[in-house]
Every structure is written in C-alpha cells, then in structure tokens.
Amino acid sequence: MKSGANLNKQLLGYARGGRYEMKVANMNELLKKTASMFGRTKKDIRIHQHYDNGLRQAVVDQGQMEKVFLYLLLNASHAMPAGGAIYLQTENVVLDEPYVAPHDVVPGPYIKISVTDTGIGMDEKTRLRVFDPFFTTEDMGRGAGLCLASSYGIIKGHKGIIHCDSEKGHGTTFTIYLPITTESVATRTDQTLD
C-alpha cells in the first residue's frame, strides 16, 4: 500500500516539479501527429478527427502531451480488440468556478480535447479507479493503469484537468482541459511546473 502511494506521489511530483520544455503549441497539430503515427499501426481502428479551426493555443511540453495522447489512443485500442472507431475532437470552452473547484485549477478559457472509443466501456467502480497506477483489468489491457496514472500526473502538472466518462458496453471518453495562453509563439523553455 505504501509503495503504491509513493509511486503515485512520484508520478504527480514528476509532472508538477519536473523541468519541462514549455512552448506555445498548436494542440490540433500535436493530436493529428500522434493520431497519424498511431493509425499506421492499427489498421483495424478507424480514427475520426474533428478539430476546431479557431482553436486557441496552450503552453505545454510537447513531448509529454504527445505521450498522453498516445496513452489514450492505446487505452482505446485495448478496449476494442476486434477493432472499432476512435473519435478525436478539440474546441475552445470556458470553465466556471463550480466546475473547476474540485480540480484545484482556475476558472476561465480552456482547450477541450476529447478521445472517445466504441469499445467495451467500464462500470462505475472501474471508472472511479482508472487513474490509479496499480489498478488494471484484463479488459483494459496490462499496464493501462500506469499509463493513465502518468497521463493524470502530466495533465495536472500542466494545470489542467483530465476526466473519464464511461458506461459498460457503450465505450469511453477521456476529456482533457488545458488552460489557453495569450502568449505569442515565442518559446518559453525549461519552465518549472508547480
């Protein structure tokens, strides 16, 4: 039990305190790039993409965000062993105080990124533990828990939110919210996230 808590702390600590190469990024391009790479290896999965052409930008570590997108795509593929479809979508949203309060982030404009699959879905008990690093099921695939826990730590470290909605037999949607930036494309490197 103690080792589990320590690992979770390390994952969150790395994301929050690690030195990332922070740059203004186009999340549509990052998601397209990751989906293209993933799609070449999964011929039995159809990827549908709907990106907001007016999507705002975020300051992120691009390598870490690509890792999160890949983890979510892999998790979706594990839920569809016989093939299926993944729907990727981005849009600009505004989150209010009641929504962000439980997540310890500030209200305001965010980029919303959704990854939806047509897989087997999860029951409520499984959904509530999906970001636990030691919680896996055969349905999710081995190692999925650690990948999702890592994704949670990375998004929290970027002062964002990651949320899972799922229903047994009706697929799963992971939604990410990242705060938008008003900065120009000039890069900011080696920022410490806290």
Side-chain angles (χ1 to χ4, degrees):
M1 186 72 176
K2 188 176 179 182
S3 63
N6 286 343
L7 177 59
N8 211 14
K9 191 173 179 181
Q10 285 177 345
L11 288 167
L12 289 170
Y14 172 69
R16 288 179 180 154
R19 296 186 71 80
Y20 285 178
E21 187 177 342
M22 302 296 286
K23 296 180 180 179
V24 177
N26 182 319
M27 303 311 294
N28 285 345
E29 293 303 320
L30 285 183
L31 193 51
K32 282 180 192 174
K33 176 182 170 186
T34 309
S36 175
M37 178 181 67
F38 173 82
R40 288 195 292 269
T41 66
K42 300 288 182 179
K43 302 298 184 186
D44 57 342
I45 294 176
R46 301 177 310 282
I47 301 178
H48 304 274
Q49 303 177 66
H50 180 74
Y51 301 126
D52 185 337
N53 290 329
L55 195 70
R56 306 287 294 275
Q57 296 185 328
V59 176
V60 299
D61 181 295
Q62 297 186 28
Q64 293 297 315
M65 291 310 305
E66 288 173 354
K67 187 183 295 184
V68 170
F69 297 154
L70 184 58
Y71 286 162
L72 294 183
L73 290 167
L74 286 170
N75 186 70
S77 71
H78 291 156
M80 302 183 293
I86 296 174
Y87 297 84
L88 306 177
Q89 184 170 353
T90 63
E91 61 182 308
N92 298 311
V93 297
V94 176
L95 302 182
D96 59 19
E97 179 65 39
Y99 186 86
V100 302
H103 303 284
D104 195 29
V105 298
V106 298
Y110 281 75
I111 295 167
K112 178 181 178 182
I113 302 160
S114 302
V115 179
T116 301
D117 67 61
T118 58
I120 57 176
M122 297 174 245
D123 58 31
E124 185 64 5
K125 184 178 178 183
T126 303
R127 187 191 70 79
L128 290 172
R129 296 191 61 192
V130 75
F131 296 117
D132 181 336
F134 289 109
F135 182 70
T136 60
T137 69
E138 275 187 23
D139 293 341
M140 289 168 62
R142 291 183 62 187
L146 189 57
C147 291
L148 293 176
S150 178
S151 297
Y152 177 85
I154 290 168
I155 297 302
K156 289 292 285 183
H158 281 77
K159 297 179 172 47
I161 298 168
I162 183 168
H163 179 73
C164 174
D165 286 301
S166 188
E167 186 180 342
K168 194 75 173 172
H170 295 281
T172 299
T173 297
F174 283 92
T175 306
I176 295 169
Y177 297 97
L178 293 171
I180 65 108
T181 182
T182 55
E183 290 186 31
S184 66
V185 181
T187 61
R188 301 182 350 178
T189 59
D190 295 328
Q191 295 285 319
T192 300
L193 300 177
D194 37 54

